[in-house]
Amino acid sequence: MHEITPFITLLTVHILALMSPGPDFALVVQNAGRYGRQTGIIIALGLSLGILLHSILSLTGASLLIREQPALFAILQAAGGCYLLWLGIGAVKGVLKQAWQKNDICSSPAPEQHLVANRKQALAKGFTTNILNPKALVFFLSLLSTLVPAGMSVTGKVTAISLLWLTSFLWFALLAWLLTGQRLQKKLQQWTPFIDGLCGLLFVSIGSMILLRLALPA
């Protein structure tokens, strides 16, 4: 019973963090709006698997070792910053290309091929976006080291990790589900260039700030 209180606090803080706008949130909004519900849910699974790995690394002490090695942590930050920057530039370039080709007839791939291609990429994109986010590493390290007592049983720690993973998947899957309702999906399709551009600028901003912070240490 004494382990219930940490679980409640852990989930409350985690849910609030999940609901705040960031790379994970933007990735679901962008891809669910463009490619549909199935791709959005696969993205959600990829993001939640990244969170699962962050949680395991934090509880096993691996994240602490990374955090205490300045060179290793800087490499992780640089990789995360570059990846977000790459995602952002790709999204913005796509919007600009679409604007230039506005008068051309869009020849999109057949639905089945389109979905297969996205299934192959969606899981990896969701996982990579989360696992390479240095803020996620610091967040889960702080969260779990503070709210999961060192003396908690192995069963308790496994339960905590499982709850974090399940909550993450359910939240992002719910977000993808809500964004792909029939009426909302039609509206989102009309706003796709705006959503892509906004998400792209968000990725570019976060990636640039990470890299700038590395280049100009306080």
Side-chain angles (χ1 to χ4, degrees):
M1 292 296 292
H2 68 283
E3 291 183 345
I4 293 178
T5 302
F7 288 157
I8 294 173
T9 308
L10 186 71
L11 287 178
T12 301
V13 175
H14 182 51
I15 290 170
L16 290 174
L18 287 173
M19 295 175 69
S20 62
D24 295 353
F25 190 96
L27 194 70
V28 175
V29 172
Q30 181 188 28
N31 286 274
R34 175 178 282 275
Y35 299 120
R37 180 170 292 169
Q38 188 175 56
T39 296
I41 291 175
I42 296 173
I43 287 277
L45 178 60
L47 290 169
S48 67
L49 290 175
I51 288 171
L52 176 64
L53 183 56
H54 271 303
S55 302
I56 293 172
L57 291 175
S58 296
L59 280 184
T60 56
S63 290
L64 183 60
L65 290 176
I66 295 172
R67 186 70 180 88
E68 290 183 342
Q69 296 294 324
L72 187 57
F73 188 54
I75 291 172
L76 177 63
Q77 286 180 299
C82 288
Y83 180 71
L84 291 175
L85 198 59
W86 176 75
L87 281 181
I89 291 173
V92 173
K93 283 175 65 178
V95 172
L96 294 176
K97 185 178 179 182
Q98 190 176 9
W100 280 107
Q101 298 176 344
K102 192 174 181 180
N103 295 326
D104 295 339
I105 298 175
C106 295
S107 55
S108 57
E112 288 187 4
Q113 294 177 346
H114 195 55
L115 286 173
V116 167
N118 279 283
R119 286 193 198 105
K120 291 178 179 179
Q121 297 171 10
L123 188 68
K125 184 174 282 189
F127 178 79
T128 306
T129 300
N130 184 270
I131 203 65
L132 286 181
N133 185 354
K135 291 185 177 180
L137 183 146
V138 175
F139 171 76
F140 285 103
L141 180 59
S142 302
L143 182 71
L144 293 171
S145 62
T146 304
L147 297 179
V148 176
M152 180 179 280
S153 64
V154 174
T155 302
K157 290 180 179 179
V158 171
T159 302
I161 291 174
S162 301
L163 287 173
L164 289 177
W165 170 78
L166 182 61
T167 306
S168 304
F169 173 67
L170 291 177
W171 162 249
F172 289 124
L174 176 63
L175 181 61
W177 183 276
L178 293 175
L179 288 170
T180 50
Q182 191 171 3
R183 292 183 180 179
L184 186 56
Q185 181 71 13
K186 289 181 180 179
K187 293 181 179 179
L188 285 176
Q189 290 294 341
Q190 297 173 355
W191 287 90
T192 292
F194 176 76
I195 293 171
D196 283 350
L198 192 61
C199 291
L201 290 175
L202 178 63
F203 291 139
V204 168
S205 299
I206 297 174
S208 298
M209 283 191 289
I210 292 171
L211 295 175
L212 192 61
R213 210 170 286 160
L214 282 173
L216 302 172

